[in-house]
Each structure stands twice: as C-alpha cells, then as structure tokens.
Amino acid sequence: MDKINSILQLPKDDQNRASLELMGLNVNDQNSIVFVLGEKFDISSEAFKLLQYIYGLTRMTYRTNFESLRGICSDLGWGCMMRTGQAALMNACVKLFLPSDFHVIRGKAIEQYRTILSYFGDTFEAPLSIQNIALTGEELDVQVGKWFGPTTICHVLKRLVAKSPLASKLKIYVAQDSVISEDEIKECSASFTVPVILLIPLRLGLHSTDPQLLQKIFETLKWPQSAGVLGGKPRTSYLFVGSEGENLLYLDPHFAQATINMNESNFPLDSFHSYGLSFMKGTDIDPSLALAFIIKNQNDFLELKTRVEKNGVCFGLFSFQKTNYEYNETKKSNELNEDDDDENCCCCCC
C-alpha cells in the first residue's frame, strides 16, 4: 500500500511509468491492452488503475508451519492447485458479497473481507482450509500430500462450500463432459435467487492445447462473468486472471509464506496481496484446466449462454443443454483418476 501511495505523489505522467515498472510490464510497449477478469485496461493511460486492481486481488500461496496434517506442516510442492482453487473462490466471493467499490487499501467493509478470508485459514476449523481440501480429496481417491488436478479441485470445492457458512449464500456447479444443464443450474440456484460459481473442467488436447481452443480461453477472460482459469503446466498450477497480447496473466501460488493466525483480530493482509504480475505464453498452458464463471442472477446466466451460442458449434469449449444431464458415477471416478495421473508428492513434514 505504501508503494501505491508513493506513486500517487508523482506527477500524473510519471504515475503510468512507475506503475508499469512496479508490475513488471514492458514499459516500451505502452500501447498494450490488458484484460483482467472481464475488465479492460489501456496501458497508455490506465497503468495505475491496473496496478490498483491487481493489488486488490487476493492471492493464495504455499504456507509453512500450519496446523499439522498427519505430520505435514507445509503444502510446499503439492498444494499449488489447492491454493489456485482457494484464490478463484475467494476472489469470486469478493465480487459477490462485498460492495462493488471495495478495495483492500480502503477501510470500507474490511472486516467483512477478513471474515470471508478466514474461511480459508490453515486450520481444521476453517471450512475451506488446505487441511479440509486435502482430506476431502481422499474421498475422491487422492491421498493427502498428493497434487490435485483441475477436475479434482472443482469437485472438492463443491463439497466443501456445501458444508461451509457460505452454503446458504452460494452454490457451486461443476459441468460434466463440458455440458451445462440449464435445468440443473436453475435448480442449483433456486431459480437464480442464489449465486452460482460455474466450474468447467476441460481437456483441450492430448499433450498440448489446440491453438484454436486456446484463443477461446483468451476470449473467456474478457467476459464479465469470468472468475479465471485454473490450470498451468504439468504439476504446476496457476490462476489465470487475464491476458495481454499472446500472454496469459496469472496469480502464482509458488511462494512459501508463514501461516497467518486468522483467529486474531485485525490479522495482517499484506501476504495475500502483491503488485507484481506473472506472464506466460498462452501456447505453454497445459491442456488440462478448468474455467470458472460467476453467475449472480438469471441475466448473468443468459448473457453467458448468449456469448457461447453466438459462436455456434465453433466455440468448442463447452455447451448448454436444456434437460438434466445424466452422468455415470463410475465414469466420474475414472475421470478424476485420469486428471491426476501426473500427481507428484513432495510433502514437507513438521
């Protein structure tokens, strides 16, 4: 926050340059357009606005010395997809439940923000903690200390939210075989009176992502309903939140930080926020990923559906159908196992 305040003291022309440097963007390319979770930023004039937006996003990273999970006290090396899922869910909650003008650098609604963030604390008591995510993964045949794939984290988050304090305020719908049932969404949302986070696990190729489908991924990050893309590289997960040219912008969980005691009043927030941006060439993304969207109401759902359907069958990522979608539970179990074929255990024990 001090760095943002110091930039504010600069002449307006210098604010843009200083913001680009702080975010790590190429200052020689000031004509770029950056999209972040449906928001558009013109680098030539809105770099400081982008800097504030980026700092306002909640980042979940590896933590050390947390409450022991069967002798494991850090998720370093195995928890990155779990942290990616936490970050996607937390930032969606900020959009859904806090005032539209909320920002962590301002005092307004900050205690409400801390309350929601505390659900992700690194304790068994916190309903959306790394401990409870890992234990729920066991129900889907993923051992504690093993890496999650995109499909697994989607189903785990759905189960945990249903048992959390958010259960009456928020539902999670996980699409099956890239198909979204309109009837199921309506039922899940109680006829669109309860917000829904829509998670769509996808595989967009065998060893690399189909270039045409990759462009569709870029397109979804421009939509106002976007809550990001959970993916990355094999055994390396990021939360992709935006794009710039041919690059994908992501929040990186691969930083080990000390666990924060969220039972303390006014616990510090600095470790959940950062100024820097991380970029990756879109062509480097692993074909196994999951899209996340926020459906606040029926209008959101219809707009999302219209965006997909106006592209016809060429959209290729996912589709809608009217009736309930029948899904075989044995098939789901097999898919989860395939999703995690690249698991890698690298536990850090107490």
Side-chain angles (χ1 to χ4, degrees):
M1 283 189 283
D2 290 341
K3 293 181 179 179
I4 288 180
N5 290 330
S6 65
I7 291 177
L8 277 172
Q9 307 306 314
L10 297 173
K12 198 164 183 71
D13 290 344
D14 292 336
Q15 287 183 10
N16 219 57
R17 175 189 53 78
S19 298
L20 290 170
E21 291 177 350
L22 187 55
M23 289 185 289
L25 289 176
N26 181 2
V27 296
N28 295 318
D29 185 14
Q30 296 190 18
N31 295 318
S32 294
I33 300 296
V34 174
F35 291 92
V36 182
L37 299 179
E39 300 287 338
K40 181 180 179 180
F41 300 89
D42 184 342
I43 290 302
S44 65
S45 60
E46 297 181 308
F48 183 61
K49 181 180 178 182
L50 172 62
L51 173 65
Q52 291 179 294
Y53 190 92
I54 291 298
Y55 186 81
L57 294 176
T58 306
R59 304 180 185 223
M60 301 294 192
T61 70
Y62 291 146
R63 295 285 172 171
T64 60
N65 299 319
F66 56 55
E67 188 173 337
S68 178
L69 174 63
R70 297 179 185 169
I72 303 171
C73 58
S74 172
D75 57 315
L76 183 65
W78 57 273
C80 57
M81 179 58 80
M82 303 181 196
R83 298 301 186 181
T84 296
Q86 286 181 322
L89 180 55
M90 178 62 198
N91 283 297
C93 286
V94 169
K95 281 191 172 184
L96 286 169
F97 304 127
L98 298 186
S100 59
D101 61 347
F102 170 79
H103 197 287
V104 70
I105 65 175
R106 307 184 190 101
K108 184 178 180 180
I110 198 69
E111 289 312 310
Q112 188 179 354
Y113 175 78
R114 276 196 174 90
T115 296
I116 299 174
L117 186 59
S118 70
Y119 298 157
F120 300 87
D122 297 317
T123 67
F124 289 95
E125 181 183 4
L128 302 169
S129 66
I130 192 80
Q131 289 90 342
N132 286 317
I133 290 175
L135 291 175
T136 305
E138 281 194 319
E139 299 173 8
L140 301 173
D141 299 323
V142 181
Q143 297 176 12
V144 170
K146 289 280 190 174
W147 192 84
F148 275 22
T151 303
T152 303
I153 191 61
C154 290
H155 286 280
V156 166
L157 290 178
K158 178 181 179 180
R159 294 187 182 196
L160 288 178
V161 166
K163 298 185 291 185
S164 78
L166 296 171
S168 63
K169 305 174 184 177
L170 174 68
K171 304 298 179 184
I172 290 185
Y173 177 91
V174 181
Q176 311 294 357
D177 287 346
S178 309
V179 176
I180 301 162
S181 164
E182 296 180 43
D183 288 345
E184 289 178 355
I185 285 284
K186 187 175 180 179
E187 179 181 356
C188 179
S189 65
S191 296
F192 300 104
T193 60
V194 178
V196 173
I197 294 178
L198 171 61
L199 300 176
I200 310 174
L202 300 171
R203 188 163 189 92
L204 305 181
L206 187 58
H207 300 295
S208 61
T209 301
D210 182 292
Q212 290 185 334
L213 297 180
L214 177 61
Q215 292 307 309
K216 305 301 182 183
I217 297 295
F218 275 81
E219 184 68 22
T220 65
L221 290 168
K222 301 176 183 179
W223 297 352
Q225 294 84 11
S226 176
V229 177
L230 292 72
K233 300 177 181 180
R235 296 184 298 279
T236 303
S237 175
Y238 309 123
L239 177 61
F240 296 100
V241 294
S243 64
E244 183 274 327
E246 297 180 350
N247 298 311
L248 288 168
L249 161 65
Y250 61 88
L251 304 183
D252 190 352
H254 300 89
F255 297 95
Q257 302 186 90
T259 293
I260 299 296
N261 182 0
M262 296 189 186
N263 289 322
E264 294 181 352
S265 60
N266 298 320
F267 61 83
L269 300 174
D270 290 355
S271 66
F272 297 97
H273 299 272
S274 175
Y275 307 99
L277 297 177
S278 297
F279 283 92
M280 186 180 87
K281 284 289 185 183
T283 51
D284 292 336
I285 194 171
D286 189 84
S288 181
L289 50 84
L291 306 181
F293 297 100
I294 301 170
I295 308 297
K296 296 181 181 178
N297 49 43
Q298 188 173 18
N299 286 340
D300 262 353
F301 178 76
L302 293 175
E303 182 180 335
L304 179 64
K305 182 184 175 187
T306 299
R307 288 180 181 274
V308 173
E309 291 182 343
K310 75 176 183 180
N311 289 278
V313 294
C314 295
F315 188 73
L317 292 180
F318 59 93
S319 61
F320 294 83
Q321 71 176 30
K322 181 73 174 82
T323 57
N324 291 340
Y325 185 68
E326 294 184 2
Y327 194 63
N328 183 282
E329 285 297 317
T330 301
K331 182 180 179 183
K332 180 174 78 172
S333 177
N334 291 336
E335 283 187 357
L336 289 171
N337 291 333
E338 290 171 5
D339 182 49
D340 291 332
D341 279 346
D342 290 327
E343 287 173 359
N344 180 29
C345 180
C346 185
C347 303
C348 297
C349 298
C350 300

